[in-house]
PDB file of all heavy atoms in Angstrom:
ATOM      1  N   LEU B  48      15.393  17.981  -1.769  1.00 92.00           N
ATOM      2  CA  LEU B  48      13.942  17.793  -1.869  1.00 92.00           C
ATOM      3  C   LEU B  48      13.435  16.800  -0.828  1.00 92.00           C
ATOM      4  O   LEU B  48      12.373  16.997  -0.224  1.00 92.00           O
ATOM      5  CB  LEU B  48      13.585  17.334  -3.279  1.00 92.00           C
ATOM      6  CG  LEU B  48      13.736  18.413  -4.353  1.00 92.00           C
ATOM      7  CD1 LEU B  48      13.778  17.787  -5.744  1.00 92.00           C
ATOM      8  CD2 LEU B  48      12.608  19.434  -4.270  1.00 92.00           C
ATOM      9  N   VAL B  77      18.992  25.889  -4.609  1.00 93.00           N
ATOM     10  CA  VAL B  77      17.645  26.410  -4.388  1.00 93.00           C
ATOM     11  C   VAL B  77      17.155  27.168  -5.622  1.00 93.00           C
ATOM     12  O   VAL B  77      15.998  27.018  -6.050  1.00 93.00           O
ATOM     13  CB  VAL B  77      17.599  27.301  -3.142  1.00 93.00           C
ATOM     14  CG1 VAL B  77      16.262  28.039  -3.041  1.00 93.00           C
ATOM     15  CG2 VAL B  77      17.842  26.484  -1.885  1.00 93.00           C
ATOM     16  N   GLU B  78      18.026  27.967  -6.224  1.00 93.00           N
ATOM     17  CA  GLU B  78      17.639  28.709  -7.433  1.00 93.00           C
ATOM     18  C   GLU B  78      17.271  27.752  -8.563  1.00 93.00           C
ATOM     19  O   GLU B  78      16.301  27.977  -9.302  1.00 93.00           O
ATOM     20  CB  GLU B  78      18.793  29.616  -7.865  1.00 93.00           C
ATOM     21  CG  GLU B  78      19.013  30.792  -6.917  1.00 93.00           C
ATOM     22  CD  GLU B  78      20.265  31.572  -7.259  1.00 93.00           C
ATOM     23  OE1 GLU B  78      20.919  31.225  -8.276  1.00 93.00           O
ATOM     24  OE2 GLU B  78      20.615  32.502  -6.512  1.00 93.00           O
ATOM     25  N   ARG B  79      18.035  26.683  -8.671  1.00 92.00           N
ATOM     26  CA  ARG B  79      17.779  25.685  -9.718  1.00 92.00           C
ATOM     27  C   ARG B  79      16.417  25.014  -9.497  1.00 92.00           C
ATOM     28  O   ARG B  79      15.637  24.836 -10.429  1.00 92.00           O
ATOM     29  CB  ARG B  79      18.909  24.650  -9.695  1.00 92.00           C
ATOM     30  CG  ARG B  79      18.918  23.679 -10.830  1.00 92.00           C
ATOM     31  CD  ARG B  79      20.272  22.991 -10.941  1.00 92.00           C
ATOM     32  NE  ARG B  79      20.633  22.247  -9.752  1.00 92.00           N
ATOM     33  CZ  ARG B  79      21.683  22.535  -8.975  1.00 92.00           C
ATOM     34  NH1 ARG B  79      22.465  23.571  -9.270  1.00 92.00           N
ATOM     35  NH2 ARG B  79      21.959  21.809  -7.910  1.00 92.00           N
ATOM     36  N   LEU B  80      16.111  24.670  -8.253  1.00 93.00           N
ATOM     37  CA  LEU B  80      14.837  24.025  -7.945  1.00 93.00           C
ATOM     38  C   LEU B  80      13.667  24.992  -8.093  1.00 93.00           C
ATOM     39  O   LEU B  80      12.571  24.586  -8.500  1.00 93.00           O
ATOM     40  CB  LEU B  80      14.866  23.444  -6.525  1.00 93.00           C
ATOM     41  CG  LEU B  80      15.854  22.306  -6.298  1.00 93.00           C
ATOM     42  CD1 LEU B  80      15.836  21.857  -4.834  1.00 93.00           C
ATOM     43  CD2 LEU B  80      15.555  21.118  -7.205  1.00 93.00           C
ATOM     44  N   GLU B  81      13.903  26.257  -7.782  1.00 92.00           N
ATOM     45  CA  GLU B  81      12.847  27.263  -8.009  1.00 92.00           C
ATOM     46  C   GLU B  81      12.531  27.396  -9.489  1.00 92.00           C
ATOM     47  O   GLU B  81      11.359  27.471  -9.893  1.00 92.00           O
ATOM     48  CB  GLU B  81      13.294  28.625  -7.454  1.00 92.00           C
ATOM     49  CG  GLU B  81      12.917  28.874  -6.015  1.00 92.00           C
ATOM     50  CD  GLU B  81      13.065  30.341  -5.644  1.00 92.00           C
ATOM     51  OE1 GLU B  81      14.212  30.836  -5.650  1.00 92.00           O
ATOM     52  OE2 GLU B  81      12.033  30.995  -5.378  1.00 92.00           O
ATOM     53  N   GLU B  82      13.580  27.429 -10.319  1.00 92.00           N
ATOM     54  CA  GLU B  82      13.384  27.561 -11.764  1.00 92.00           C
ATOM     55  C   GLU B  82      12.609  26.373 -12.326  1.00 92.00           C
ATOM     56  O   GLU B  82      11.813  26.524 -13.257  1.00 92.00           O
ATOM     57  CB  GLU B  82      14.746  27.677 -12.464  1.00 92.00           C
ATOM     58  CG  GLU B  82      15.450  29.008 -12.206  1.00 92.00           C
ATOM     59  CD  GLU B  82      16.842  29.037 -12.814  1.00 92.00           C
ATOM     60  OE1 GLU B  82      17.226  28.013 -13.441  1.00 92.00           O
ATOM     61  OE2 GLU B  82      17.540  30.056 -12.661  1.00 92.00           O
ATOM     62  N   ARG B  83      12.821  25.211 -11.751  1.00 90.00           N
ATOM     63  CA  ARG B  83      12.123  24.005 -12.204  1.00 90.00           C
ATOM     64  C   ARG B  83      10.704  23.927 -11.635  1.00 90.00           C
ATOM     65  O   ARG B  83       9.944  23.021 -11.993  1.00 90.00           O
ATOM     66  CB  ARG B  83      12.902  22.757 -11.807  1.00 90.00           C
ATOM     67  CG  ARG B  83      14.237  22.583 -12.505  1.00 90.00           C
ATOM     68  CD  ARG B  83      15.012  21.404 -11.939  1.00 90.00           C
ATOM     69  NE  ARG B  83      14.285  20.144 -12.084  1.00 90.00           N
ATOM     70  CZ  ARG B  83      14.619  19.018 -11.457  1.00 90.00           C
ATOM     71  NH1 ARG B  83      15.659  19.008 -10.622  1.00 90.00           N
ATOM     72  NH2 ARG B  83      13.911  17.911 -11.643  1.00 90.00           N
ATOM     73  N   GLY B  84      10.358  24.840 -10.754  1.00 91.00           N
ATOM     74  CA  GLY B  84       9.024  24.843 -10.159  1.00 91.00           C
ATOM     75  C   GLY B  84       8.841  23.805  -9.081  1.00 91.00           C
ATOM     76  O   GLY B  84       7.704  23.494  -8.691  1.00 91.00           O
ATOM     77  N   LEU B  85       9.943  23.266  -8.547  1.00 93.00           N
ATOM     78  CA  LEU B  85       9.843  22.206  -7.545  1.00 93.00           C
ATOM     79  C   LEU B  85       9.819  22.729  -6.118  1.00 93.00           C
ATOM     80  O   LEU B  85       9.362  22.027  -5.215  1.00 93.00           O
ATOM     81  CB  LEU B  85      11.004  21.216  -7.710  1.00 93.00           C
ATOM     82  CG  LEU B  85      11.026  20.465  -9.047  1.00 93.00           C
ATOM     83  CD1 LEU B  85      12.203  19.507  -9.092  1.00 93.00           C
ATOM     84  CD2 LEU B  85       9.728  19.703  -9.256  1.00 93.00           C
ATOM     85  N   VAL B  86      10.358  23.920  -5.899  1.00 94.00           N
ATOM     86  CA  VAL B  86      10.274  24.532  -4.572  1.00 94.00           C
ATOM     87  C   VAL B  86       9.764  25.964  -4.710  1.00 94.00           C
ATOM     88  O   VAL B  86       9.840  26.564  -5.785  1.00 94.00           O
ATOM     89  CB  VAL B  86      11.630  24.528  -3.821  1.00 94.00           C
ATOM     90  CG1 VAL B  86      12.190  23.129  -3.685  1.00 94.00           C
ATOM     91  CG2 VAL B  86      12.638  25.459  -4.496  1.00 94.00           C
ATOM     92  N   ARG B  87       9.251  26.482  -3.614  1.00 94.00           N
ATOM     93  CA  ARG B  87       8.738  27.847  -3.608  1.00 94.00           C
ATOM     94  C   ARG B  87       9.002  28.480  -2.247  1.00 94.00           C
ATOM     95  O   ARG B  87       9.198  27.780  -1.244  1.00 94.00           O
ATOM     96  CB  ARG B  87       7.242  27.861  -3.910  1.00 94.00           C
ATOM     97  CG  ARG B  87       6.413  27.142  -2.861  1.00 94.00           C
ATOM     98  CD  ARG B  87       4.940  27.217  -3.147  1.00 94.00           C
ATOM     99  NE  ARG B  87       4.158  26.585  -2.087  1.00 94.00           N
ATOM    100  CZ  ARG B  87       2.835  26.601  -2.028  1.00 94.00           C
ATOM    101  NH1 ARG B  87       2.141  27.218  -2.976  1.00 94.00           N
ATOM    102  NH2 ARG B  87       2.206  26.017  -1.033  1.00 94.00           N
ATOM    103  N   ALA B 104       9.855  25.474   0.583  1.00 94.00           N
ATOM    104  CA  ALA B 104       9.180  24.188   0.713  1.00 94.00           C
ATOM    105  C   ALA B 104       8.938  23.608  -0.673  1.00 94.00           C
ATOM    106  O   ALA B 104       8.982  24.332  -1.680  1.00 94.00           O
ATOM    107  CB  ALA B 104       7.846  24.349   1.455  1.00 94.00           C
ATOM    108  N   VAL B 105       8.702  22.307  -0.731  1.00 95.00           N
ATOM    109  CA  VAL B 105       8.365  21.660  -2.003  1.00 95.00           C
ATOM    110  C   VAL B 105       7.034  22.217  -2.505  1.00 95.00           C
ATOM    111  O   VAL B 105       6.087  22.397  -1.734  1.00 95.00           O
ATOM    112  CB  VAL B 105       8.265  20.137  -1.828  1.00 95.00           C
ATOM    113  CG1 VAL B 105       7.739  19.469  -3.096  1.00 95.00           C
ATOM    114  CG2 VAL B 105       9.624  19.553  -1.452  1.00 95.00           C
ATOM    115  N   THR B 106       6.961  22.506  -3.773  1.00 94.00           N
ATOM    116  CA  THR B 106       5.728  23.009  -4.381  1.00 94.00           C
ATOM    117  C   THR B 106       4.713  21.866  -4.473  1.00 94.00           C
ATOM    118  O   THR B 106       4.912  20.915  -5.237  1.00 94.00           O
ATOM    119  CB  THR B 106       6.000  23.552  -5.795  1.00 94.00           C
ATOM    120  OG1 THR B 106       7.027  24.536  -5.728  1.00 94.00           O
ATOM    121  CG2 THR B 106       4.736  24.168  -6.383  1.00 94.00           C
ATOM    122  N   PRO B 107       3.625  21.927  -3.718  1.00 95.00           N
ATOM    123  CA  PRO B 107       2.696  20.786  -3.680  1.00 95.00           C
ATOM    124  C   PRO B 107       2.138  20.416  -5.044  1.00 95.00           C
ATOM    125  O   PRO B 107       2.007  19.235  -5.376  1.00 95.00           O
ATOM    126  CB  PRO B 107       1.590  21.262  -2.735  1.00 95.00           C
ATOM    127  CG  PRO B 107       2.221  22.326  -1.899  1.00 95.00           C
ATOM    128  CD  PRO B 107       3.197  23.004  -2.807  1.00 95.00           C
ATOM    129  N   GLY B 108       1.805  21.418  -5.848  1.00 93.00           N
ATOM    130  CA  GLY B 108       1.147  21.144  -7.119  1.00 93.00           C
ATOM    131  C   GLY B 108       2.077  20.821  -8.266  1.00 93.00           C
ATOM    132  O   GLY B 108       1.629  20.770  -9.424  1.00 93.00           O
ATOM    133  N   SER B 109       3.359  20.568  -7.987  1.00 93.00           N
ATOM    134  CA  SER B 109       4.283  20.241  -9.073  1.00 93.00           C
ATOM    135  C   SER B 109       3.933  18.907  -9.727  1.00 93.00           C
ATOM    136  O   SER B 109       4.318  18.651 -10.871  1.00 93.00           O
ATOM    137  CB  SER B 109       5.729  20.218  -8.569  1.00 93.00           C
ATOM    138  OG  SER B 109       5.882  19.344  -7.473  1.00 93.00           O
ATOM    139  N   ALA B 110       3.207  18.065  -9.021  1.00 95.00           N
ATOM    140  CA  ALA B 110       2.700  16.812  -9.602  1.00 95.00           C
ATOM    141  C   ALA B 110       1.650  16.244  -8.669  1.00 95.00           C
ATOM    142  O   ALA B 110       1.624  16.543  -7.475  1.00 95.00           O
ATOM    143  CB  ALA B 110       3.824  15.800  -9.813  1.00 95.00           C
ATOM    144  N   ILE B 129       2.371  16.141  -4.546  1.00 96.00           N
ATOM    145  CA  ILE B 129       3.704  15.549  -4.489  1.00 96.00           C
ATOM    146  C   ILE B 129       4.234  15.426  -3.066  1.00 96.00           C
ATOM    147  O   ILE B 129       5.097  14.601  -2.774  1.00 96.00           O
ATOM    148  CB  ILE B 129       4.697  16.374  -5.364  1.00 96.00           C
ATOM    149  CG1 ILE B 129       5.989  15.590  -5.644  1.00 96.00           C
ATOM    150  CG2 ILE B 129       5.014  17.701  -4.690  1.00 96.00           C
ATOM    151  CD1 ILE B 129       5.815  14.442  -6.567  1.00 96.00           C
ATOM    152  N   VAL B 416       9.928  13.148 -11.116  1.00 89.00           N
ATOM    153  CA  VAL B 416       9.893  14.601 -11.016  1.00 89.00           C
ATOM    154  C   VAL B 416      11.159  15.180 -10.417  1.00 89.00           C
ATOM    155  O   VAL B 416      11.679  16.194 -10.870  1.00 89.00           O
ATOM    156  CB  VAL B 416       8.649  15.038 -10.183  1.00 89.00           C
ATOM    157  CG1 VAL B 416       8.659  16.541  -9.951  1.00 89.00           C
ATOM    158  CG2 VAL B 416       7.371  14.624 -10.896  1.00 89.00           C
ATOM    159  N   PHE B 417      11.654  14.520  -9.386  1.00 86.00           N
ATOM    160  CA  PHE B 417      12.842  15.035  -8.726  1.00 86.00           C
ATOM    161  C   PHE B 417      14.126  14.711  -9.481  1.00 86.00           C
ATOM    162  O   PHE B 417      15.171  15.292  -9.226  1.00 86.00           O
ATOM    163  CB  PHE B 417      12.980  14.460  -7.302  1.00 86.00           C
ATOM    164  CG  PHE B 417      11.888  14.925  -6.355  1.00 86.00           C
ATOM    165  CD1 PHE B 417      11.747  14.348  -5.124  1.00 86.00           C
ATOM    166  CD2 PHE B 417      11.008  15.948  -6.712  1.00 86.00           C
ATOM    167  CE1 PHE B 417      10.749  14.767  -4.237  1.00 86.00           C
ATOM    168  CE2 PHE B 417      10.017  16.373  -5.844  1.00 86.00           C
ATOM    169  CZ  PHE B 417       9.891  15.772  -4.596  1.00 86.00           C
TER     170      PHE B 417
END
Side-chain angles (χ1 to χ4, degrees):
L48 289 163
V77 170
E78 290 173 3
R79 189 163 60 244
L80 295 177
E81 270 195 295
E82 289 175 1
R83 293 174 60 193
L85 297 181
V86 303
R87 63 178 183 174
V105 173
T106 305
S109 55
I129 196 70
V416 175
F417 293 170

